[in-house]
Structure formats: C-alpha cells, structure tokens
Amino acid sequence: MTILERTKARSKARSKARSKVGAPDLAVNRIIERDCIEAMASLPDGCVDMIFADPPYNLQLGGDLFRPEGGRVDAVDDDWDKFDTFAVYDDFTRGWLAEARRILKPGGTIWVIGSYHNIFRVGTALQDAGYWILNDIIWRKANPMPNFRGTRFTNAHETMIWAAKSEKARYTFNYKTMKTLNDELQMRSDWVIPICAGQERLKDKGKKAHPTQKPEALLYRVMLASTNPGDVVLDPFFGTGTTGAVARRLGRHWIGIEREKRYCAMALKRIEEALPLDESALTIMQDKSARPKVPFGALLETGLVVPGARLTDSKRRWTAEVRVDGTLACNGLEGSIHKLGALLQDAPSCNGWTFWHYEDADGLQPIDALREQYRLAHFP
C-alpha cells in the first residue's frame, strides 16, 4: 500500500469517528515533533487558514561541491533530503499534499516552495490532488550563491506555487496591502528578496543551523498577502521556525511540524524572541529593490527624452546635451548621467536621476519624474 493509499484510509476512518464525537479543539502556537503526514493526520478537517510548505527538494547531489579556492560548499546533504527514487519522492509528495488539503479550510490556500529539482513534480501532484493553482511566484535572490563549477547558469531563483483548495474557493488575497508594499503599483509575481545572511542566519557550532532557511521577508510578504490577523498558519516542514517567528510578529496563530529534535529546540527559542508588531508598522518590510530597474537609455528609446535635449542641474550651473546613446556632454566632459554629474562637481559619485533636470511648463523637474512615467507605462 502506498503512502497516499494509507493516508486516504486513515482520513476516512477519522472522518467517521469525528461524525460521532465531534472535532476536537485546535491547539495552536506549538510544534508537533513527528513525521509531517502522521502529524497532519492528527488534526481535524478544515482547521487551518494557510499552509506554507518548504518540503525536501530531493537535490540528488552527486558528491561534494567545492569553491574555486578549495573550500567545501555547505550544501544540502542531510538524510531528510534523500529519496531512493523519483517514485518514492512522488509517493511522499502525494501523501502530505492529501493531508494538507484535508486540513485546509474551504477558503484556505497553500504555498509550496521548491527548486527546479522538485517544483515541477510538486506542481503536478498539486493539480492531481484537486488544488487550483492561483500563481507561481518567482523568488529572485538578490545575492545568490554562484555556480562554482561554471558548467551551468547561476541558480538565482526558487519557485513558489500558490494554490487554493478548489477552483471555486473564495480565498484571501489582500490586494491593497500588496499594492501599498509595492509603492502603489500592483505586486508582481517576481519578488527580489535577499537570501538569509548575517544575524538572521541561525548558526549551530559555527555552521548553518539549517541549509535551506528561508528569509523572514519572504514569509512576511506571503502572510500579509494571504492571511489576516488571528488566522492559523501551518508549516509541515518547520525547520528552524521562520514561519512561526513571522506569524507571531504579525498576529497570526501558527502550528509547526518538525521531526528533527534539534531544529525544534532552535525554532522555539527563536519564536519566543520574536516581538509582535503593531499593525500600523507593517510597511517597514517594504522591499524597494524589487522595483524594475530603468536605464536612462530607455527614456530615449520611448521618446520621453530626445537626443539633443538640454538638461541642467537645479541651480542651472551646468547645461548638458543628451546624445543619441544616452551619454551627456558638457564643457568638454562626457559620460553617463551619473558619471558626468560626479565629474562636474568633482565628487566621488552622483545620483544623476535627481541631479539632472528638464524644463516644462511648471519649471525645472528632475529626470527621475520621467523614469516614474516610464515605470507606470511599462510595469503596471
């Protein structure tokens, strides 16, 4: 009997028992130290509002990986990430997804994160289980680990699948909150967020406590998007407790499932130290680095600035001519909007977007205003 068949049999027996005695009260803000499928099986039907799952990636690493200078890369080589075959991994995936769907409320949603090693297999299993995919979100890492062997592209992103329990489900999506976080522009499905580093990265005896610890900023955005204060968030692969720590800060209840004892201890300590935030302070997590980069040349290509135009600084000390390739020329000097501004001021650097101005009916305006026009027109 496969994991999925055993899961269905247990679910049927539990549902029959509950119809006689009623569903038990749900204990929250705790870690269940068990296998994820067994732990979810102990929970009542339709009891959680959101699930965030960071399952084993089944990386299939072939030996150690070393940096160019000879140092060993601290990669994922733990036993919990090892499966004998794809079939075994798929059986495991179908098993935990079936339990996850059972314990989700009718309007609940699930987020599953993975890499190219597993996310496509998980996506198929999600659809086969009856979930309805709402979005796939690309988490673009602002500081990814390089490809040390130089044999492939740098793996600079991971994929999150956001799915509802069914096609007709009325799920939570806090659209206005996401738009506010994104400077009043619709939040896109590609998120630029740094990987864990510095003080946020938990250490155990000088080494990473967990090889795939997710940044709190990622969970922050996920929870703000798809839950409300007081909702119950479950993480079946709790690890060092990122989900629980962020849930506590945002006023959500949490349930963590983790079979590794050492991770449980770290997670509890971390969550106890997480200070709940006032709802009015939530915008401090805004990630401005996710805004699309716009080169000055893009303004010429779209006609917002024309070659031959004259730009000046706010005090009209210098006037520069715009060339066809986007460089500026003034007083025998030339360069980009940033370089020329620095040269003229004899400064180490210059923000050309705020230094250079154009003139319209209302007087001098920074060229940054034209950049904003470009963003509004091309990144709605």
Side-chain angles (χ1 to χ4, degrees):
M1 183 180 288
T2 66
I3 291 177
L4 181 60
E5 290 169 338
R6 292 195 297 271
T7 299
K8 288 181 176 179
R10 286 196 300 264
S11 296
K12 185 176 181 180
R14 280 192 308 274
S15 296
K16 186 176 181 180
R18 289 194 190 100
S19 66
K20 297 179 180 179
V21 300
D25 293 335
L26 183 67
V28 295
N29 304 330
R30 63 186 175 117
I31 299 177
I32 305 174
E33 192 178 323
R34 294 169 65 183
D35 171 81
C36 69
I37 297 177
E38 293 178 358
M40 283 191 284
S42 69
L43 300 177
D45 296 348
C47 63
V48 299
D49 298 280
M50 192 199 86
I51 295 173
F52 181 84
D54 185 9
Y57 288 6
N58 192 24
L59 294 181
Q60 314 112 44
L61 294 179
D64 292 337
L65 180 62
F66 295 92
R67 293 181 172 85
E69 76 279 5
R72 182 176 177 272
V73 176
D74 188 11
V76 184
D77 55 5
D78 302 80
D79 289 339
W80 50 257
D81 193 61
K82 297 175 182 177
F83 295 82
D84 292 336
T85 64
F86 284 129
V88 172
Y89 184 79
D90 292 344
D91 187 33
F92 166 72
T93 300
R94 288 190 290 266
W96 74 259
L97 281 176
E99 281 296 341
R101 189 166 183 267
R102 180 186 63 78
I103 64 175
L104 268 180
K105 293 180 181 179
T109 57
I110 184 172
W111 295 75
V112 186
I113 189 169
S115 68
Y116 68 88
H117 303 86
N118 72 322
I119 197 63
F120 303 109
R121 310 186 78 87
V122 173
T124 297
L126 274 164
Q127 291 181 311
D128 288 346
Y131 292 92
W132 187 257
I133 294 179
L134 302 170
N135 276 113
D136 63 325
I137 305 293
I138 299 300
W139 166 32
R140 189 156 63 89
K141 303 173 183 179
N143 51 342
M145 181 182 294
N147 184 275
F148 293 107
R149 291 174 177 168
T151 56
R152 304 183 186 182
F153 296 107
T154 296
N155 293 323
H157 78 276
E158 292 184 30
T159 300
M160 289 190 294
I161 297 176
W162 181 38
K165 189 170 181 177
S166 64
E167 180 181 0
K168 304 297 184 181
R170 300 186 64 179
Y171 55 89
T172 296
F173 177 49
N174 297 317
Y175 169 79
K176 290 184 178 179
T177 300
M178 289 295 98
K179 190 172 182 180
T180 300
L181 284 179
N182 201 37
D183 285 352
E184 294 303 323
L185 298 176
Q186 284 190 351
M187 183 69 77
R188 292 157 54 95
S189 61
D190 51 340
W191 300 355
V192 181
I193 296 174
I195 62 175
C196 275
Q199 293 183 346
E200 185 180 350
R201 170 66 75 173
L202 298 188
K203 298 292 182 66
D204 183 20
K205 298 178 181 178
K207 296 183 178 181
K208 292 179 183 178
H210 195 291
T212 62
Q213 181 183 337
K214 296 301 180 287
E216 291 190 7
L218 186 70
L219 270 297
Y220 194 104
R221 191 177 296 184
V222 164
M223 285 189 207
L224 280 185
S226 54
T227 66
N228 295 306
D231 282 355
V232 178
V233 177
L234 180 135
D235 186 334
F237 307 96
F238 203 53
T240 52
T242 303
T243 300
V246 175
R248 184 166 190 254
R249 291 172 62 200
L250 295 181
R252 277 70 168 165
H253 298 296
W254 57 272
I255 299 173
I257 299 172
E258 177 54 54
R259 71 181 191 184
E260 303 290 331
K261 186 179 293 292
R262 66 187 185 96
Y263 291 156
C264 292
M266 293 179 193
L268 284 174
K269 182 176 184 297
R270 179 183 183 186
I271 295 168
E272 287 174 358
E273 295 173 351
L275 299 177
L277 291 177
D278 189 289
E279 196 74 19
S280 63
L282 298 181
T283 55
I284 64 171
M285 293 294 288
Q286 182 171 326
D287 178 25
K288 292 186 177 180
S289 64
R291 302 183 70 191
K293 304 298 183 184
V294 178
F296 181 67
L299 306 187
L300 277 81
E301 293 171 343
T302 54
L304 288 173
V305 176
V306 297
R310 303 280 178 170
L311 302 179
T312 182
D313 66 293
S314 61
K315 296 181 180 179
R316 300 183 185 274
R317 292 168 295 177
W318 300 286
T319 299
E321 182 179 11
V322 179
R323 291 175 172 172
V324 70
D325 62 352
T327 58
L328 305 186
C330 177
N331 297 348
L333 300 174
E334 60 184 11
S336 68
I337 58 173
H338 311 295
K339 182 179 179 180
L340 184 59
L343 287 173
L344 292 171
Q345 299 176 90
D346 195 23
S349 63
C350 171
N351 182 352
W353 291 109
T354 56
F355 178 78
W356 294 109
H357 291 63
Y358 67 99
E359 188 149 9
D360 65 8
D362 296 322
L364 288 180
Q365 307 293 334
I367 59 174
D368 194 39
L370 298 176
R371 180 169 63 163
E372 283 306 306
Q373 289 184 36
Y374 182 94
R375 283 194 174 119
L376 290 172
H378 295 84
F379 302 104

